[in-house]
Amino acid sequence: FLGPPEVAGVDAAIADINSAGGVLGQPLQKIDGDSGDATTTIAAQTVDAQIKQGVSAIIGAAQSAVSLSVIKTTTAAGVVLFSPANTSSELSDTAITKGLYFRTVAPDTFQGAVLAALAQADGAKNVAIMALTDVYTTGLADDVTKNFEVAGGTVAVRVNYDPTPASYTAGVAKVKAADPDALILIGFSESKGVIQQLQAQGIGPQKLTLFLCDGQMSNALAVGLPSGLMNGVKGTIPGVQASEKLRAQMLATNPNLTDFAYGPESYDATVLVALAAEAAQSTKGADIAAQIPAVSAQGNEPCSKFAECVALLKAGQAISYVGPSGATGIKANGDPSYATMTIWQFGPDNTIAPIDSIAADVPTS
C-alpha cells in the first residue's frame, strides 16, 4: 500500500516542477521502477537498469531493508537515493550512505519515542512487543523498548517472528503466556496473519490493546477481517496527513488511490532534488547531494513552491524549502532536523483516520 501514494506524490511534484520550467531549463524526467521487497532481488535489478539509463537520483525505496540492500550500488555510482518512507536508524550512518542518501521522514529514534509514549498514555504499563525479523522492524522494536523502559514501563516479552503461519502461532502463544496489558506489533502486511492468530487464541484487539506502526497502519490491513475487529486500534505513521490540495493532485495522477501515506514526503523528496540541482547548476548526483542540506537549511529565506524557490536562488538568496511534509533542515547524514509523526486510529468500519500529530525536533539517539 505504500507504493501507489509515493508514486503519486512524485508525479504531482514533477507536474509542478515542469509547469514552472523544469530543472535547469529542461523537463524533469521520471523512469518508473519496482523496488519489490527485502525477500527479492527486484530492487537490485531496477537500480542497475536505472543507473545504466543515467539517472541523477532515485526516489525510494519504501522499505528500509530494500534501501540498505542497494545503497552500495547507488553510492558507488554517485547516484542520490532519497527515500520518503525509510525510518531505519542504520540509514543515519554516513559510513553506509557516503553522503548520498536522504529522507523526508524521521528515523526510528522519533517513531520509537512516540509509539512508546502513545502506549503509556493509553495506560499500558507491561507490554509485549512482536516484531517481524527485518532490519527496520527489529530496529524500531529496539527503540520502542528503550523508550518504554526509560519512562518506567516494562516489556513482558519480546518476540521476533518470521512471515509464516507457524511463526505467528508460536509468537502469539508466547505473548498470551506473558499476560501483558498491551501488545505493540511491528511489521508489514503480514501482520494481518498475526492479528488473525491473536483473535484465534482469544487475545484479539478487542481483548488485548493493540498498537501498530507505519508498516501496517493502513486500510488495506483490515480488508477481510471481521467488522469492528480493529476498532480503537492506534498506530503511528511518520509524516503528515496529505492536505486536500495535495490529495487532489495525487488523485489526478492516480484516481484509484485510497491511501495517501508518504505522498507529501515523496513530493518534497522530488522537489528537494530538483532545487538542489538548480542550486548546484548541475545534474551530477554528488553535486545534488552537496546542496540538499543547503536548500532545506533552517533559518534561510523560506519558500514553499518550486517556482518561488528557484526565483530566490536565481536572485542569490539562500533558501529554506518547506513543502507539504513540513520536514526541514535535512542534515549531512540525510536525516531531517524537524519532522512530524501522525497518530492514526481504526474506527468501527475498520478504516483509519488521523487523531493527532506531533511535530518536533528529531532526536539523534
Side-chain angles (χ1 to χ4, degrees):
F1 66 90
L2 290 177
E6 290 175 11
V7 172
V10 170
D11 287 343
I14 290 174
D16 284 348
I17 290 165
N18 286 341
S19 69
V23 178
L24 300 176
Q26 298 294 321
L28 180 59
Q29 298 179 20
K30 184 188 73 163
I31 301 171
D32 288 318
D34 186 1
S35 63
D37 59 35
T39 66
T40 71
T41 60
I42 293 173
Q45 295 170 30
T46 297
V47 165
D48 286 343
Q50 290 179 337
I51 289 172
K52 287 178 182 177
Q53 293 175 80
V55 298
S56 303
I58 297 172
I59 306 298
Q63 288 188 23
S64 296
V66 173
S67 291
L68 284 163
S69 75
V70 299
I71 195 77
K72 286 185 178 179
T73 303
T74 56
T75 55
V79 170
V80 168
L81 187 64
F82 203 139
S83 175
N86 291 168
T87 59
S88 171
S89 296
E90 284 193 40
L91 287 161
S92 300
D93 186 353
T94 54
I96 295 173
T97 64
K98 312 298 184 187
L100 287 165
Y101 172 86
F102 302 89
R103 50 183 162 191
T104 39
V105 291
D108 285 331
T109 51
F110 190 24
Q111 184 168 198
V114 173
L115 190 51
L118 175 63
Q120 290 186 316
D122 280 7
K125 294 181 174 63
N126 182 44
V127 303
I129 296 176
M130 285 188 71
L132 176 70
T133 303
D134 172 271
V135 65
Y136 150 68
T137 47
T138 56
L140 177 55
D142 291 342
D143 283 310
V144 171
T145 299
K146 180 181 72 174
N147 282 279
F148 195 81
E149 291 179 338
V150 165
T154 59
V155 176
V157 65
R158 162 78 179 267
V159 178
N160 290 349
Y161 66 89
D162 296 321
T164 64
S167 189
Y168 307 156
T169 301
V172 169
K174 290 178 182 178
V175 169
K176 185 175 182 179
D179 193 27
D181 55 23
L183 169 63
I184 300 173
L185 177 60
I186 301 173
F188 294 106
S189 59
E190 87 297 328
S191 297
K192 182 183 294 188
V194 178
I195 293 168
Q196 290 170 327
Q197 189 53 223
L198 288 167
Q199 184 75 353
Q201 295 193 32
I203 53 170
Q206 298 308 310
K207 293 289 184 71
L208 179 63
T209 304
L210 178 63
F211 299 93
L212 303 175
C213 67
D214 60 305
Q216 324 120 310
M217 202 66 187
S218 79
N219 293 328
L221 179 69
V223 172
L225 294 178
S227 177
L229 178 66
M230 299 297 287
N231 186 33
V233 173
K234 296 177 182 177
T236 48
I237 300 179
V240 301
Q241 183 185 10
S243 67
E244 289 301 318
K245 178 183 178 183
L246 182 57
R247 285 184 179 224
Q249 289 179 275
M250 292 167 66
L251 284 168
T253 71
N254 181 356
N256 297 319
L257 281 180
T258 58
D259 284 293
F260 298 86
Y262 299 114
E265 291 70 32
S266 300
Y267 182 101
D268 282 352
T270 308
V271 172
L272 282 166
V273 167
L275 288 174
E278 286 281 352
Q281 289 292 292
S282 170
T283 57
K284 292 182 179 179
D287 295 338
I288 291 170
Q291 291 298 321
I292 287 173
V295 298
S296 67
Q298 295 169 321
N300 292 338
E301 185 67 25
C303 56
S304 60
K305 294 180 174 60
F306 177 77
E308 172 193 10
C309 295
V310 170
L312 289 170
L313 287 172
K314 289 181 177 178
Q317 290 267 16
I319 66 168
S320 178
Y321 171 73
V322 183
S325 75
T328 59
I330 308 294
K331 295 178 288 189
N333 75 343
D335 292 343
S337 299
Y338 186 87
T340 300
M341 189 73 57
T342 301
I343 298 169
W344 296 71
Q345 183 174 24
F346 279 94
D349 60 353
N350 280 357
T351 62
I352 63 171
I355 59 170
D356 198 5
S357 64
I358 299 168
D361 292 332
V362 176
T364 56
S365 62

